[in-house]
Amino acid sequence: MMRKECSMEEARFKADAFCSASEHCRADVLSKLYQWGAPEESWEEILSYLEKEKYIDESRYAVAFVRDKYRFNQWGRIKISQVLRMKQIPSACISEALEEIEEKEYLSVLTALLKKKLRSVKASNDYERNGKLIRFAVGHGYEVSDILHCLKQLGYEVEDTE
């Protein structure tokens, strides 16, 4: 399928609107510029314009992304940082954004997630149940040490792997 071509001005206008609607990073905008068929030689100029005008800001994006994925999707730090790295967000921005997660709240979200999953887990013994819960939480991007801590808080016997 051939992509539709658009002029640099049209692409910049679309990018303005795209970035005004919600927080985006360079990778998101690059993907859209490609999708819209914007001339490749204009991409860097458009991105520079958007950064200069504060339409895109990698650290602001990282903070918003962390807050949204943590609060609404209940993702752990590992999954959040992996996705941000895939979007080529600088490590310093990722670390700074992740520091905004309050440890107490983080563990209570994980505990609530485990409690909810516990209602649907079918296992023939404690070992199998714990394994399923740990795999579930790891899949959501939580650290094994935090998962074991929360399972102990819930009153389950778990073996420390550390």
Side-chain angles (χ1 to χ4, degrees):
M1 185 176 107
M2 279 287 293
R3 284 182 303 125
K4 197 180 106 204
E5 292 286 315
C6 77
S7 70
M8 182 182 158
E9 292 75 34
E10 190 182 351
R12 198 170 87 189
F13 180 75
K14 283 182 168 185
D16 277 353
F18 179 64
C19 292
S20 295
S22 63
E23 202 64 60
H24 293 287
C25 64
R26 284 179 68 95
D28 292 345
V29 176
L30 265 175
S31 156
K32 282 296 183 186
L33 290 172
Y34 174 78
Q35 218 178 324
W36 297 327
E40 206 167 321
E41 55 278 0
S42 69
W43 293 359
E44 200 50 50
E45 192 179 327
I46 292 170
L47 287 168
S48 295
Y49 162 78
L50 292 171
E51 285 172 334
K52 188 171 76 48
E53 296 298 319
K54 299 284 185 221
Y55 280 106
I56 41 181
D57 178 330
E58 302 286 71
S59 59
R60 190 178 66 210
Y61 174 80
V63 168
F65 187 88
V66 166
R67 187 179 48 244
D68 288 354
K69 294 301 175 189
Y70 163 66
R71 288 227 169 92
F72 302 120
N73 300 50
Q74 293 165 339
W75 286 4
R77 289 186 187 104
I78 295 171
K79 188 170 184 173
I80 292 170
S81 67
Q82 283 176 334
V83 173
L84 287 172
R85 275 199 303 275
M86 285 171 38
K87 289 178 174 272
Q88 297 158 358
I89 303 296
S91 296
C93 293
I94 296 172
S95 301
E96 229 173 82
L98 288 173
E99 282 174 21
E100 298 214 357
I101 297 175
E102 190 185 302
E103 192 63 26
K104 217 173 173 180
E105 186 186 358
Y106 184 73
L107 293 174
S108 75
V109 166
L110 173 56
T111 303
L113 198 62
L114 289 169
K115 276 183 185 173
K116 186 176 176 189
K117 181 65 179 171
L118 201 53
R119 292 195 291 256
S120 66
V121 168
K122 288 171 180 47
S124 54
N125 58 44
D126 292 350
Y127 181 78
E128 188 181 336
R129 180 205 58 230
N130 291 346
K132 287 181 178 187
L133 289 171
I134 291 168
R135 277 192 300 281
F136 169 76
V138 164
H140 270 72
Y142 287 92
E143 299 86 344
V144 173
S145 58
D146 288 339
I147 299 166
L148 295 176
H149 172 78
C150 289
L151 285 174
K152 285 177 187 168
Q153 294 290 323
L154 289 170
Y156 294 103
E157 291 292 318
V158 286
E159 291 178 35
D160 267 327
T161 54
E162 297 164 37

